[in-house]
């Protein structure tokens, strides 16, 4: 952080508050029920993503380049929700809205890094579908373990550096307008607006990062699916095309669930009610990590075969099968009914 401050002159000092106060949702009756709901969503997310990571690690047949990306997807979902939800519950359920300055910046760093990686994970999986359908004979050559590991690692490096720059720019701000952050976590956009010195670099980042981490990845995903549709249209029969396209349905569902509320919120930031913005962003942060193992992973044939192969010689397989059936049926219904009420 000293690097950012020294660039402005060694004698310059900045006013940093001892703490911030996270205000969260206001004027909504029985709002504590919403945070209890987030807790149950978090529990389902932890169980689902932990199970997916364990299956990929234990089953050698799932150690393919595609499942390198799926493993990273589950890890980011688990890590991001664990960084966010317990702290949100501590702030609002247990009435600890004050968060020290340095802890707030750390909180911001982990939340935004995982948010960026969720977007990049969808890019990696869309590339996998593009090559698998458009160039099936070249798939083993173009999508290797080495390539996927390098791709995921580059996404991590890019996300971490980008978020560190945003955090570093916040440290050069003098916070003197207020210590109340009108969000459910330490939100970059809400924090830099509390400064009383020049925050133009932060303002530029607040516009550039949504483009770099949301619009550009979404544009890439749309282009990949245009190529996929063009390839499927050339197939001999409609049945073959639909069969191939069904492998993309889960990914497309996650793209819609993640990008629509995020882009709507960032595009209409100044035009929507603060409560609507907080609800949108909080649900976008916790719902995709819960839906990923349900929609995209646990419904794929490879995962089901891995479960069957791993536990077929044990009595526990039958109990796991019953748990999966309940997990998929009940939680899919909860997701469908819950989203419209909060968005």
């Amino acid at each position: 952080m000293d690097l950012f401050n020294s660039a402005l002159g060694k004698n310059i000092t900045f006013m940093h508050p001892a703490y911030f106060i996270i205000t969260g949702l206001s004027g909504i009756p029985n709002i504590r029920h919403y945070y209890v709901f987030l807790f149950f969503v978090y529990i389902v997310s932890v169980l689902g993503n932990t199970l997916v990571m364990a299956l990929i690690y234990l089953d050698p047949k799932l150690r393919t380049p595609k499942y390198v990306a799926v493993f990273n997807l589950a890890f980011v979902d688990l890590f991001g929700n664990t960084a966010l939800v317990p702290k949100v519950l501590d702030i609002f359920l247990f009435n600890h809205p004050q968060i020290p300055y340095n802890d707030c910046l750390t909180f911001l760093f982990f939340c935004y890094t995982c948010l960026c990686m969720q977007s990049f994970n969808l890019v990696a999986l869309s590339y996998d579908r593009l090559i698998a359908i458009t160039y099936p004979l070249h798939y083993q050559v173009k999508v290797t373990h080495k390539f996927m590991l390098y791709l995921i690692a580059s996404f991590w490096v890019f996300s971490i550096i980008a978020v560190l720059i945003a955090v570093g720019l916040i440290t050069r701000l003098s916070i003197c307008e207020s210590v109340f952050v009108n969000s459910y976590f330490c939100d970059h956009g809400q924090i830099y607006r509390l400064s009383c010195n020049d925050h133009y670099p932060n303002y530029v980042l607040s516009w550039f990062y949504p483009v770099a981490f949301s619009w550009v990845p979404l544009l890439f995903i749309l282009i990949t699916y245009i190529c996929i549709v063009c390839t499927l249209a050339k197939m001999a029969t409609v049945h073959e095309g639909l069969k191939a396209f069904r492998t993309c349905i889960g990914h497309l569902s996650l793209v819609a669930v993640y990008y629509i509320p995020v882009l709507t919120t960032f595009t209409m930031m100044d035009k929507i009610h603060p409560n609507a913005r907080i609800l949108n962003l909080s649900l976008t942060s916790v719902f995709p990590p819960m839906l990923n193992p349900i929609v995209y992973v646990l419904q794929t044939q490879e995962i089901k075969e891995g479960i069957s192969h791993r536990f077929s010689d044990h009595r526990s397989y039958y109990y796991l099968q019953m748990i999966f059936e309940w997990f998929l049926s009940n939680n899919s219904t909860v997701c469908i009914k819950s989203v419209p009420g909060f968005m």
Side-chain angles (χ1 to χ4, degrees):
M1 300 305 176
D2 292 334
L3 176 64
F4 292 89
N5 294 341
S6 62
L8 299 174
K10 296 182 179 180
N11 296 325
I12 295 179
T13 58
F14 302 101
M15 297 173 56
H16 295 161
Y19 57 84
F20 288 106
I21 297 177
I22 311 298
T23 59
L25 297 164
S26 59
I28 301 178
N30 301 319
I31 191 58
R32 292 173 67 90
H33 296 166
Y34 173 70
Y35 298 115
V36 173
F37 166 74
L38 291 184
F39 170 73
F40 284 108
V41 172
Y42 170 68
I43 294 299
V44 173
S45 174
V46 169
L47 293 175
N49 287 292
T50 301
L51 178 62
V52 167
M53 293 170 64
L55 287 172
I56 295 174
Y57 177 78
L58 295 173
D59 193 340
K61 293 183 179 180
L62 295 179
R63 296 175 188 172
T64 61
K66 171 186 174 181
Y67 283 98
V68 171
V70 173
F71 186 93
N72 186 67
L73 175 70
F75 172 76
V76 170
D77 290 342
L78 179 63
F79 183 69
N81 258 7
T82 301
L84 175 66
V85 177
K87 188 60 180 178
V88 169
L89 297 179
D90 179 61
I91 292 172
F92 299 110
L93 276 184
F94 300 102
N95 296 321
H96 297 143
Q98 293 186 3
I99 178 170
Y101 178 83
N102 289 330
D103 292 353
C104 191
L105 296 188
T106 304
F107 190 23
L108 181 153
F109 169 78
F110 285 117
C111 289
Y112 273 99
T113 299
C114 292
L115 193 65
C116 295
M117 282 305 301
Q118 285 181 3
S119 180
F120 285 141
N121 278 325
L122 295 176
V123 169
L125 292 170
S126 70
Y127 178 79
D128 175 84
R129 290 296 84 208
L130 173 68
I131 302 301
I133 295 176
T134 308
Y135 305 101
L137 299 179
H138 297 196
Y139 180 78
Q140 300 294 336
V141 177
K142 291 180 176 291
V143 184
T144 63
H145 285 87
K146 184 177 181 180
F147 170 81
M148 190 60 72
L149 287 171
Y150 280 162
L151 182 65
I152 296 298
S154 65
F155 285 157
W156 273 106
V157 171
F158 182 58
S159 299
I160 289 173
I161 292 176
V163 178
L164 280 176
I165 291 173
V167 173
L169 289 176
I170 287 180
T171 63
R172 58 166 289 279
L173 299 178
S174 292
I175 309 297
C176 52
E177 296 291 339
S178 174
V179 294
F180 292 92
V181 179
N182 188 19
S183 186
Y184 67 103
F185 76 112
C186 292
D187 193 339
H188 171 265
Q190 301 302 312
I191 291 177
Y192 84 76
R193 290 181 174 87
L194 301 178
S195 66
C196 51
N197 60 336
D198 180 29
H199 57 244
Y200 184 74
N202 304 83
Y203 172 78
V204 172
L205 286 187
S206 70
W207 282 99
F208 174 72
Y209 279 5
V211 173
F213 294 110
S214 295
W215 285 108
V216 172
L218 178 59
L219 180 62
F220 176 84
I221 292 171
L222 293 177
I223 292 174
T224 62
Y225 275 102
I226 291 173
C227 296
I228 288 172
V229 170
C230 292
T231 300
L232 296 180
K234 299 175 183 178
M235 286 191 170
T237 65
V238 176
H239 176 73
E240 291 178 353
L242 291 176
K243 184 179 179 181
F245 190 74
R246 285 194 191 100
T247 64
C248 305
I249 296 299
H251 180 257
L252 283 173
S253 301
L254 297 183
V255 169
V257 168
Y258 177 80
Y259 282 109
I260 290 176
V262 165
L263 295 179
T264 300
T265 302
F266 282 120
T267 302
M268 304 178 63
M269 184 71 72
D270 299 326
K271 299 178 181 180
I272 61 177
H273 192 276
N275 283 344
R277 174 179 56 81
I278 293 173
L279 282 171
N280 257 347
L281 289 179
S282 60
L283 286 173
T284 302
S285 300
V286 300
F287 253 92
M290 183 189 73
L291 291 173
N292 287 345
I294 298 173
V295 175
Y296 189 82
V297 181
L298 294 181
Q299 291 183 351
T300 59
Q301 189 63 30
E302 296 93 338
I303 290 290
K304 290 183 178 180
E305 291 176 356
I307 295 170
S308 177
H309 174 75
R310 188 71 191 173
F311 298 101
S312 59
D313 297 331
H314 302 279
R315 186 178 299 178
S316 57
Y317 168 70
Y318 299 101
Y319 296 104
L320 280 173
Q321 190 176 32
M322 293 173 61
I323 291 173
F324 288 147
E325 291 175 356
W326 176 89
F327 185 82
L328 290 172
S329 61
N330 285 274
N331 283 288
S332 296
T333 304
V334 169
C335 294
I336 293 171
K337 291 183 178 179
S338 297
V339 175
F342 288 106
M343 298 302 283

